[in-house]
Amino acid sequence: MTTLSPALRKAFEETHYHVLHQAPFGLQVGQPQPALAAIYQQHQTDCACLITAFNPMGELLEKDENIERHAQLGRALGAAGYAALPTVAQHPANGWPAEPGFLVIGMGREDAQRWAAEWEQLAVLWTAADTVPQLLETQVPDWMR
């Protein structure tokens, strides 16, 4: 596995990850989110991940292509038996377009990294029982390091 550049890591860490639940809440790298505890309890799990299919490997795609990838990811998660909540990730200032995704309930760390790699994502947000989101890297192309 390669490492994100410091600037790219900082952008992921500064991004606001919005979970569009009955009572919406936000996730931020390194900051505990107590709302996750209730979701964990409801689904009898102790982990979750936030994943998107938008803009593989950090390459901006056309809107229609991103929407189709998002729909495919949703179908794949459902077929795999995962419960998922809709999300939107948005950096507050860098101009990168908002990215819809899913908070996947009960997806373990290794599966989160595997799914992120399969959907060509540079990283995925993952939370354990402590409800503190952490950034897990997948494969970063040489040109992005």
Side-chain angles (χ1 to χ4, degrees):
M1 181 171 10
T2 55
T3 305
L4 294 171
S5 70
L8 192 51
R9 173 169 277 286
K10 184 176 186 227
F12 276 111
E13 291 172 349
E14 291 173 344
T15 294
H16 297 186
Y17 302 90
H18 305 279
V19 180
L20 308 176
H21 189 45
Q22 297 158 342
F25 61 91
L27 297 174
Q28 199 108 34
V29 174
Q31 297 180 16
Q33 177 45 267
L36 284 173
I39 292 172
Y40 289 171
Q41 185 175 19
Q42 178 185 357
H43 292 273
Q44 299 179 335
T45 191
D46 64 355
C47 60
C49 91
L50 192 147
I51 187 170
T52 184
F54 268 52
N55 303 316
M57 291 299 166
E59 293 285 332
L60 285 171
L61 295 182
E62 294 294 323
K63 181 179 179 180
D64 290 344
E65 191 172 354
N66 273 327
I67 289 169
E68 178 57 30
R69 286 177 56 86
H70 177 72
Q72 289 171 355
L73 174 58
R75 288 190 296 272
L77 290 167
Y82 285 109
L85 301 173
T87 64
V88 176
Q90 177 71 66
H91 190 278
N94 72 1
W96 189 262
E99 293 188 352
F102 299 97
L103 179 68
V104 186
I105 316 297
M107 184 175 277
R109 183 185 181 101
E110 289 179 13
D111 284 340
Q113 285 180 296
R114 183 178 55 80
W115 276 74
E118 287 176 12
W119 288 90
E120 303 173 287
Q121 298 302 303
L122 300 171
V124 64
L125 207 62
W126 185 77
T127 62
D130 64 2
T131 75
V132 178
Q134 52 188 287
L135 191 64
L136 303 180
E137 296 178 23
T138 57
Q139 293 293 334
V140 179
D142 289 341
W143 65 269
M144 294 197 83
R145 288 188 274 146

